[in-house]
Amino acid sequence: MADKWSQTALLVIDMQNDFILEDGLMKVNGGKAIVPNVIKAVDIARQRGILVVWVVREHDQQGRDVELFRRHLYSPGKAGPTSKGSVGAELVDGLVIKEGDYKLVKTRFSAFFATHLHSFLRTEGIKSLVITGVQTPNCIRQTVFDAVALDYQPVTVIVDATAAATPDIHAGSRKGRNKGKRETL
C-alpha cells in the first residue's frame, strides 16, 4: 500500500497558535474547527506512508522579512505574529512533527515562493500533493496555484481540513468548484 502513496505529500499549512487560538495575533475564525480534521489527515497520511510536510510561517522578531502590508504589526520589544521562537509560531496542540516528517519555513503566502520546497519534493520523488491548513484565500490558494504551475498532479485540497476567516470567504474561494470534502485540480 505504501508504494501507491510514495509519490504523494501532505502539506499542512500554517496550523500555528497565532492563526488558530482565540488570542492568536492573526486568528483565522474557522481555524480551530478544522484542527480535528487536520489531525485525522496527518494520521491517515502517516498510515499510508505519505510524506508529511509542515509548512510554517516564522518571521524575524523585528518583522524585517514580513510583507510590507504587515510590517506595522512588528515593533521593537514586542514579538509580532509568528515571530521565530514565540509561542504563536508553535504548532497548535494536537499537531506534532514526527521523525520522517519535514518542516519548511516560509515568509510569504505560497509555500513555494522563495523556499526550497519544489526542489525538496522533486528530490523525494513527489508528484502529487494534498493540502490542509489555513487560510483558504491566501496561503492555501497561492500554494495550490504554484503547485499546479509547477506540474504537480493531482493537487487535492481537503475542504473540511482547510479554513478561512469566515465560512463565506472559505466558500467563495471555492466558487464554481466541486463542493465536496475534497477538490482535485
Side-chain angles (χ1 to χ4, degrees), residues 159-174:
V159 175
D160 61 357
T162 52
T166 70
D168 288 342
I169 292 171
H170 186 58
S173 296
R174 301 170 41 234

Side-chain angles (χ1 to χ4, degrees), residues 55-121:
V55 179
V56 298
R57 272 191 178 250
E58 285 183 5
H59 292 291
D60 174 79
Q61 292 281 335
Q62 297 173 20
R64 293 175 289 193
D65 58 356
V66 173
E67 299 97 333
L68 286 175
F69 72 90
R70 288 193 174 145
R71 294 243 169 109
H72 70 282
L73 299 171
Y74 297 78
S75 60
K78 178 185 166 208
T82 65
S83 291
K84 187 172 183 160
S86 71
V87 172
E90 294 174 6
L91 291 175
V92 71
D93 283 346
L95 296 175
V96 179
I97 299 172
K98 292 190 175 178
E99 187 176 340
D101 294 351
Y102 189 77
K103 177 182 172 184
L104 178 92
V105 175
K106 68 181 177 76
T107 59
R108 296 294 190 265
F109 289 156
S110 174
F112 290 99
F113 183 82
T115 72
H116 60 277
L117 180 61
H118 181 58
S119 170
F120 170 75
L121 293 173

Side-chain angles (χ1 to χ4, degrees), residues 14 16-29 57 59 66-67 69-70 72-74 80-82 109 134-135 138 165:
D14 294 346
Q16 297 160 266
N17 290 329
D18 271 344
F19 295 113
I20 306 301
L21 297 183
E22 291 300 317
D23 61 348
L25 297 176
M26 300 291 289
K27 181 185 170 212
V28 175
N29 288 329
R57 272 191 178 250
H59 292 291
V66 173
E67 299 97 333
F69 72 90
R70 288 193 174 145
H72 70 282
L73 299 171
Y74 297 78
T82 65
F109 289 156
V134 295
Q135 110 149 294
N138 299 338

Side-chain angles (χ1 to χ4, degrees), residues 48 126 151:
R48 293 181 178 175
I126 302 300
D151 294 327

